[in-house]
């Protein structure tokens, strides 16, 4: 699965680096948004599976849309149209 660095650690270091702070200074902590151990286990289990299957996990964190794929790669997208990390739904905008 790549470098051996857990995806949850990559998320923290990339967000912290992007913001110019220490990973320990990030609020809310990652574990308030997603279970880091479960994320790492999921990516590990998918990375060992058939190579034609790509799994992507996405979640909002600190104004970023975090995307982790089954190779362990982490991508951050910054934007104003990101879902609220409080879990508020935006589905009402789909009505006629």
């Amino acid at each position: 699965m790549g470098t051996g660095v857990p995806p949850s650690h990559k998320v923290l270091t990339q967000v912290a680096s992007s913001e110019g702070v220490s990973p320990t200074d990030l609020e809310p902590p990652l574990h308030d948004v997603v279970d880091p151990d479960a994320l790492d286990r999921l990516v590990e289990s998918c990375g060992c599976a058939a190579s034609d299957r790509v799994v992507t996990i996405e979640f909002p964190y600190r104004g970023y849309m975090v995307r982790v794929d089954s190779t362990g790669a982490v991508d951050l997208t910054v934007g104003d149209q990101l879902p609220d990390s409080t879990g508020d739904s935006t589905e009402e905008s789909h009505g006629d």
Side-chain angles (χ1 to χ4, degrees):
M1 175 176 59
T3 65
V5 176
S8 61
H9 188 268
K10 289 180 187 178
V11 169
L12 289 173
T13 57
Q14 285 187 27
V15 171
S17 176
S18 178
E19 296 184 6
V21 299
S22 169
T24 59
D25 292 335
L26 296 174
E27 288 293 332
L30 183 61
H31 63 77
D32 282 2
V33 177
V34 66
D35 182 334
D37 293 329
L39 175 65
D40 296 342
R41 285 191 309 268
L42 180 61
V43 170
E44 182 179 338
S45 69
C46 293
C48 295
S51 62
D52 62 335
R53 182 175 69 170
V54 177
V55 174
T56 303
I57 302 108
E58 292 183 345
F59 57 92
Y61 181 57
R62 293 185 53 89
Y64 300 93
M65 180 54 70
V66 178
R67 175 180 283 182
V68 181
D69 71 25
S70 53
T71 68
V74 174
D75 292 309
L76 303 178
T77 303
V78 181
D80 295 332
Q81 290 79 30
L82 295 178
D84 184 320
S85 64
T86 63
D88 292 342
S89 175
T90 58
E91 290 185 30
E92 63 271 3
S93 65
H94 295 218
D96 288 335

